[in-house]
Amino acid sequence: MPASVKGAVALRKSLRQFTPDLAKALPKEMAAALKPITKTAKGYLPDDGQVLSGWLARDNSQARFPAYRARLVKAGVGYKTTPSKPNRSGFRSLARVFNKTAAGAIYETMGRKTPQSRFVQNQTGKYSSQMKGKEKMEGRALFRAYDENNGNAREAVLAAIEGAAKKLNARATVRG
């Protein structure tokens, strides 16, 4: 679930400018919260033997549908703790988990809109995996791992941001 945090980008700039040690500690705390999700998500991704044979890499193939290579798909799962570019609505993500492979994205979301399609039914028959989450946040690996995390990562990231802000303010106060 997304959370709205105002001033976090400005906080990170201030941390870099005034307290470089806190600027280095914040991403480490955020990463510690996101690593369990990526590790769990990699475990939910199937191996090459658990996907449909037509989805595997083929020699001399001219097909445009991305081939599933478990090693590459699992390597494509990761996280980032740097702010993203603003989207159309002006929102940024401060921390995110992702899968940068096309085959991984297909596996993640297959069956979200058309659960009765032949591809989804055949894949589910070969390797039964669960969809977890709600609406646009529903998936088989990343969204499932995030859902099973019960918001612990989200709360830890928010706590890390709030903690860094408190430490910055404590160091900035002048006592006289």
Side-chain angles (χ1 to χ4, degrees), residues 61-127:
S61 175
Q62 299 297 321
R64 293 182 180 214
F65 194 76
Y68 187 91
R69 293 181 182 93
R71 183 179 55 78
L72 296 176
V73 171
K74 289 180 182 185
V77 173
Y79 62 89
K80 284 195 175 189
T81 58
T82 56
S84 66
K85 293 181 181 179
N87 66 6
R88 285 183 245 155
S89 302
F91 290 99
R92 294 177 175 217
S93 67
L94 300 175
R96 58 201 170 277
V97 291
F98 60 84
N99 188 337
K100 60 184 174 183
T101 62
I106 291 169
Y107 178 77
E108 178 75 30
T109 60
M110 73 176 173
R112 188 185 289 175
K113 288 188 179 180
T114 56
Q116 302 304 322
S117 71
R118 188 177 303 178
F119 177 69
V120 173
Q121 287 180 346
N122 288 342
Q123 181 62 36
T124 303
K126 182 162 184 157
Y127 175 74

Side-chain angles (χ1 to χ4, degrees), residues 11 15 160-170:
L11 170 68
L15 287 174
I161 292 170
E162 289 174 10
K166 287 179 183 176
K167 289 176 185 175
L168 178 66
N169 289 334

